[in-house]
Amino acid sequence: MTITYREAVPDDAQACVVLRGQTRENAFTVEELKAVGVTPESWASEIREGTLPGYIAEAENQMAGYCFGDKKTGEIVVLALLPAYEGTGIGKTLLNLMVEDFRALGFARLYLGCSADPKVRSYGFYRHLGWRSTGQIDEADDEVLEYILS
């Protein structure tokens, strides 16, 4: 299986919204995203403006996953992967691409919201990669993790 990685472009936004509803854990449907103000149009606009940079992974002529971050704050906003590509290293690669971009922008600390439930895959995934709990809970009731760039 050949995986390619590239920077996200505004035309990716529609597929990103759809893929988010197809994830195994923490899925959000198009309607649920719209209810919190995330639409293909708003997502495309933020990509176009450069405030929400991201990377896309493609496999077998389809989007396999993506990772986006907030350029103003250093927050990893979303990392999503189709279930068929879990455990392949794609998620780690996408996250590392964003971490390196933010490092180049001068960030010393990145953060994200993650389930505090050890049974959820993301709980172990981020901690295995060096992300640590801040002890805070965000407005979505997720635990805030941070990553210190050295």
Side-chain angles (χ1 to χ4, degrees):
M1 168 174 49
T2 301
I3 308 296
T4 58
Y5 299 91
R6 61 173 176 80
E7 289 186 25
V9 297
D11 286 345
D12 292 321
Q14 177 66 43
C16 288
V17 168
V18 172
L19 186 146
R20 185 65 194 268
Q22 298 172 334
T23 59
R24 188 162 57 89
E25 294 179 340
N26 201 25
F28 285 85
T29 66
V30 172
E31 295 78 22
E32 290 169 327
L33 288 172
K34 185 176 182 180
V36 295
V38 177
T39 64
E41 296 78 20
S42 69
W43 201 328
S45 177
E46 290 186 77
I47 295 169
R48 189 176 303 105
E49 294 166 4
T51 56
L52 191 70
Y55 285 91
I56 305 294
E58 295 176 328
E60 302 167 3
N61 296 316
Q62 73 169 352
M63 184 182 293
Y66 55 78
C67 186
F68 286 86
D70 185 326
K71 191 174 180 179
K72 295 177 190 171
T73 65
E75 177 185 8
I76 300 299
V77 176
V78 62
L79 173 60
L81 199 61
L82 289 173
Y85 300 102
E86 292 176 359
T88 63
I90 292 173
K92 178 180 176 181
T93 299
L94 287 166
L95 182 61
N96 285 340
L97 288 166
M98 286 307 308
V99 167
E100 290 309 312
D101 277 6
F102 282 160
R103 182 189 314 273
L105 290 172
F107 281 95
R109 174 190 176 268
L110 305 179
Y111 70 99
L112 55 81
C114 177
S115 174
D117 182 350
K119 297 175 190 155
V120 175
R121 291 185 81 244
S122 61
Y123 181 93
F125 172 79
Y126 291 113
R127 284 165 177 77
H128 175 75
L129 296 175
W131 293 76
R132 299 291 173 242
S133 176
T134 64
Q136 300 172 331
I137 302 296
D138 68 15
E139 64 280 351
D141 208 27
D142 284 332
E143 184 176 18
V144 177
L145 303 183
E146 67 181 355
Y147 187 79
I148 306 301
L149 301 169
S150 49

